[in-house]
Amino acid sequence: MATIKVVDKESVRLVREDLKKYLDMDIDELLSQLTEEQIDELNNENDPDNSCLPPSERCRNQTKKSPTGPLDRKKLLRYLEKLGKEDKDWDEKVPYERGQKRGTQFIAKEQIKLPVSEEDGIELDLPEEYEDALRGATESELIDIAGVLELHSMLTQDQYWDSYRDVLAQEKDATFLGPAKFSLLKIVPDERPNETNFADSLQKLKGNDLKVLNLNNKLDLSESQLLELCEVLKSNTSLQSLSMTYVNATDTIAEKLANVLEDNTMLKVLNVDSNLFTAEKVCDLMKATLKNKTLLELRATNQRSTVLGVKFETQICGFLSENTTMLRLGLNFETLEARMKVVEYLQRNTDLLRQMRVNNEGYTPPKFVAPKGTREKLPDKVQNTAWSSDRFLHATKHEEISQPGGKRKEAEKADDEEKSEPDSDED
């Protein structure tokens, strides 16, 4: 709330009359009448917020000593250390005596323990054998029970993870009130370097005698070696999987790989994660897959451009919509629309592959390779059984599935015959 100050009109008039005599006086004459102390006091009255004055003149000068020269940090530190040693310590009100406490001492309040009766406890309806077992259980056995019941608050980290590894607390003599000790750091050995011989692999590629090539984490490869590899891959007809993760490949290598995808018709998997490609070159790689449409998997994440951008994400989605053979795509998309479209197109391609498998349109089932320790192979009857899909066998009229040779009409006719046959009653 604003306050109103009442001023006497008579006092204002007297002040104005007193100031009139100073209006006609000269400033130099006024300054000559001031003493040296008054002049210093007048000079010290500066406005620190006055932007018209330089910063050095906005505050009064409080130093009357003459400058001693430039700053010498070591000399200043020595002087401060000497001054600190020479200064006398403050006098203590109570002299120090060894073993005697000075000042007010903290005395903890006595905690009143409430009497606990059996009626206040929690009664559990357990069988007698369980109650007898819990009454006679040791502390280590109770820790094992707490680990089985996953009671996190009752156990330490080591005790909790020991329960997962089926290590009994009885073997370590663990207790609930035992000290919490740190776990020793587990030294994990470094990953073995990639021992692929680039020169031998290059010779095998030239002779079309290599199907899988792994060059991951081989930082000793020069740009000229990678360019030579791309030139060999253009005419290669055996390699199916190429992995070049973290080899410091630049945009020059990306351009050559795009040319490889346009010329090579045998390559199925290409992994170029963790390199130095820009978003434009990643888009060019996706565009190059449209010529032959033989590449099934492409991975190009963690590049120099961490974000592709809306422009290139839209272009990649357009290229993928035209590609009907790509099954896996490893890229990071920022926009939700691009992610949804990519999932939709990849699902479409997978459905088309399933359709070809169901209709046996030039599809050869892959040979089953059993893992070690199991049977060498499944029976031929099981191995060569074609997969069935209700989505394509019982297609609706609104779904148009291309089946050459009138196979769709035959399938629909067979379905109608099955529906028309009456169910046989078995006695």
Side-chain angles (χ1 to χ4, degrees), residues 40-272:
D40 293 339
E41 185 179 355
L42 183 63
N43 290 332
N44 292 333
E45 293 181 358
N46 295 329
D47 185 9
D49 297 330
N50 189 0
S51 60
C52 297
L53 293 176
S56 60
E57 298 181 4
R58 296 179 189 177
C59 298
R60 63 179 180 174
N61 186 10
Q62 301 177 359
T63 305
K64 297 182 179 180
K65 295 181 180 180
S66 59
T68 57
L71 174 63
D72 189 352
R73 185 175 179 274
K74 294 182 179 180
K75 184 178 179 181
L76 178 61
L77 292 176
R78 287 196 300 268
Y79 171 75
L80 294 176
E81 184 179 357
K82 179 181 177 182
L83 185 64
K85 291 180 179 179
E86 293 178 353
D87 285 349
K88 185 180 178 181
D89 294 338
W90 295 348
D91 295 334
E92 297 179 352
K93 294 182 179 180
V94 180
Y96 171 75
E97 294 182 7
R98 187 175 182 180
Q100 183 179 359
K101 295 184 179 180
R102 299 179 295 177
T104 305
Q105 300 181 11
F106 172 76
I107 300 176
K109 296 181 180 180
E110 295 183 359
Q111 296 181 358
I112 302 174
K113 296 183 178 179
L114 299 176
V116 181
S117 61
E118 296 181 357
E119 298 178 356
D120 297 334
I122 301 175
E123 296 182 0
L124 297 177
D125 187 10
L126 297 176
E128 294 183 358
E129 53 183 8
Y130 290 169
E131 291 183 358
D132 296 339
L134 290 176
R135 287 195 188 96
T138 61
E139 192 171 359
S140 57
E141 292 176 347
L142 293 176
I143 291 176
D144 293 334
I145 296 174
V148 173
L149 299 177
E150 298 185 0
L151 301 177
H152 306 265
S153 58
M154 298 179 62
L155 306 176
T156 62
Q157 288 291 335
D158 293 339
Q159 293 173 353
Y160 181 73
W161 289 112
D162 286 343
S163 65
Y164 269 95
R165 294 193 294 267
D166 296 334
V167 178
L168 297 178
Q170 305 173 24
E171 301 175 0
K172 296 186 176 182
D173 297 332
T175 60
F176 286 112
L177 301 178
K181 299 181 180 180
F182 70 94
S183 301
L184 296 177
L185 181 64
K186 296 181 180 180
I187 301 177
V188 180
D190 296 335
E191 186 178 355
R192 296 180 59 184
N194 193 341
E195 299 178 356
T196 303
N197 192 325
F198 181 78
D200 295 345
S201 300
L202 198 62
Q203 292 298 328
K204 292 181 180 179
L205 288 176
K206 292 180 180 179
N208 294 327
D209 193 20
L210 189 63
K211 292 185 177 181
V212 179
L213 179 58
N214 182 6
L215 300 177
N216 294 341
N217 302 323
K218 287 189 70 66
L219 299 177
D220 56 344
L221 296 178
S222 61
E223 186 174 356
S224 59
Q225 291 176 319
L226 295 177
L227 291 175
E228 184 180 2
L229 173 65
C230 294
E231 291 296 330
V232 174
L233 290 178
K234 288 184 179 180
S235 58
N236 182 270
T237 57
S238 63
L239 188 66
Q240 297 182 2
S241 176
L242 174 61
S243 185
M244 294 173 53
T245 300
Y246 193 44
V247 294
N248 290 338
T250 58
D251 285 347
T252 306
I253 308 301
E255 294 177 0
K256 297 297 182 180
L257 287 175
N259 297 333
V260 170
L261 294 178
E262 293 179 354
D263 298 337
N264 194 307
T265 59
M266 293 298 298
L267 191 62
K268 306 297 181 184
V269 179
L270 177 61
N271 186 357
V272 288

Side-chain angles (χ1 to χ4, degrees), residues 358-374:
V358 170
N359 299 326
N360 296 324
E361 297 179 359
Y363 175 78
T364 303
K367 186 177 180 181
F368 177 78
V369 179
K372 294 181 179 180
T374 59

Side-chain angles (χ1 to χ4, degrees), residues 343-359:
V343 172
E344 180 183 352
Y345 295 146
L346 293 178
Q347 185 177 3
R348 177 204 62 185
N349 296 345
T350 306
D351 291 343
L352 291 175
L353 179 63
R354 186 184 300 110
Q355 174 189 352
M356 294 176 59
R357 180 171 62 242
V358 170
N359 299 326

